Amino acid sequence: MRADDVLQHLTTPLAAPVYPLRPTRFTDREYFNVVYRTDPDALRAVVPEPLEVTEPLVRFEVMRMGEVDGYGPYVESGQAIQVEHEGERGEYLHAMYLDNSAATLAGRELSAYPKVLGTPALRVDQGALVGTLDRGTERVATATMAYEWEPLDHDAALAEITVPTFMVKLVPDLRTQRHLVADLVRTEITDVTVKQAWTGPARLQLFAHALAPMADLPVLEVVRASHILTDLTLAPVRTVHDYLADRPSA
């Protein structure tokens, strides 16, 4: 392979692309969300400037992807923290765990999603919607909600899942062991259709794990929960803050 041919690729292995290089369309993306109140000091310790914590609220989510262009079905779980950036309300993605290696790599390499491999699951058990997350053989989180307990207004459901999302993108320079890129980025979902939306009483348990420290943001009070079925598209990320801009070069 000639050197010029190498530059025709944007991911490795060169002979077998891992993911498509285009916006991703999700069909029948199923959300189980539990919004809870946590320790404000714990949030301030993990939310990066210039994002601001206005309310100590975290959204724990389990998402079952019914059909995803280029990846197929998979399940994902994570924590999103309510923040503000320059007056705009949104969420900071603190942690994401999923059972699809291609989606994990694409999320990290093409965007800035803090994705690692895990084993999330979403099921119905004797009238309860149950979302779980395991890391290896150890349980990290268990969420339950009464199944299809009460209809949720579709506009409220849309507002919950379409807030802007902020993440940190870090790319190391292998030659200098310093940052090549250190950006705060923003994205959002588009072309959303809410097919079903439900709410009901819910509970959430988080378990301490060194490699999946969700329990560092403890559950003090469950505020609300939702179960939403949608179709949507993920928009590309854009930089809203460059952490290296004000730092003198070495």
Side-chain angles (χ1 to χ4, degrees):
M1 183 180 290
R2 297 169 58 88
D4 288 346
D5 294 330
V6 173
L7 297 178
Q8 301 303 311
H9 299 265
L10 292 177
T11 182
T12 58
L14 298 179
V18 178
Y19 44 76
L21 299 175
R22 57 184 176 83
T24 303
R25 181 67 178 172
F26 293 79
T27 303
D28 291 337
R29 179 169 176 162
E30 186 177 5
Y31 287 85
F32 176 21
N33 300 311
V34 179
V35 176
Y36 70 93
R37 194 175 308 278
T38 191
D39 179 357
D41 291 334
L43 287 185
R44 295 187 187 100
V46 298
V47 172
E49 296 179 335
L51 298 177
E52 298 179 0
V53 176
T54 55
E55 285 191 88
L57 298 178
V58 180
R59 181 171 60 85
F60 170 81
E61 63 181 4
V62 179
M63 295 180 291
R64 179 162 54 199
M65 317 300 182
E67 178 59 30
V68 189
D69 293 355
Y71 304 94
Y74 62 93
V75 187
E76 183 172 318
S77 180
Q79 284 172 313
I81 300 169
Q82 292 195 12
V83 295
E84 281 193 6
H85 178 256
E86 296 182 347
E88 180 181 47
R89 298 189 66 179
E91 292 182 333
Y92 168 65
L93 287 185
H94 176 56
M96 306 178 77
Y97 304 89
L98 55 161
D99 61 2
N100 182 299
S101 59
T104 301
L105 293 171
R108 295 180 65 92
E109 294 178 9
L110 290 179
S111 300
Y113 294 96
K115 296 187 175 187
V116 297
L117 290 173
T119 310
L122 187 61
R123 59 189 173 88
V124 178
D125 185 0
Q126 296 187 355
L129 182 65
V130 181
T132 59
L133 172 63
D134 295 342
R135 174 79 173 180
T137 61
E138 296 300 314
R139 178 57 47 91
V140 176
T142 299
T144 57
M145 185 182 99
Y147 183 70
E148 297 189 359
W149 189 259
E150 181 178 346
L152 176 64
D153 179 79
H154 281 205
D155 288 339
L158 189 67
E160 181 167 335
I161 63 175
T162 57
V163 296
T165 298
F166 298 95
M167 303 165 283
V168 171
K169 178 68 173 182
L170 299 177
V171 179
D173 187 331
L174 301 181
R175 295 163 297 184
T176 65
Q177 302 301 306
R178 294 170 63 89
H179 290 107
L180 190 62
V181 174
D183 288 352
L184 179 70
V185 302
R186 178 193 183 278
T187 187
E188 59 190 344
I189 63 174
T190 61
D191 301 326
V192 186
T193 299
V194 174
K195 296 179 172 180
Q196 296 184 40
W198 304 89
T199 188
R203 299 291 185 272
L204 174 63
Q205 292 177 286
L206 302 177
F207 305 93
H209 193 299
L211 299 182
M214 283 189 164
D216 288 1
L217 304 179
V219 180
L220 302 184
E221 177 192 7
V222 171
V223 176
R224 62 181 180 273
S226 61
H227 180 204
I228 305 168
L229 183 65
T230 69
D231 296 342
L232 57 87
T233 301
L234 286 181
V237 302
R238 63 178 179 85
T239 298
V240 295
H241 181 78
D242 183 354
Y243 290 102
L244 301 179
D246 299 325
R247 179 170 296 182
S249 58

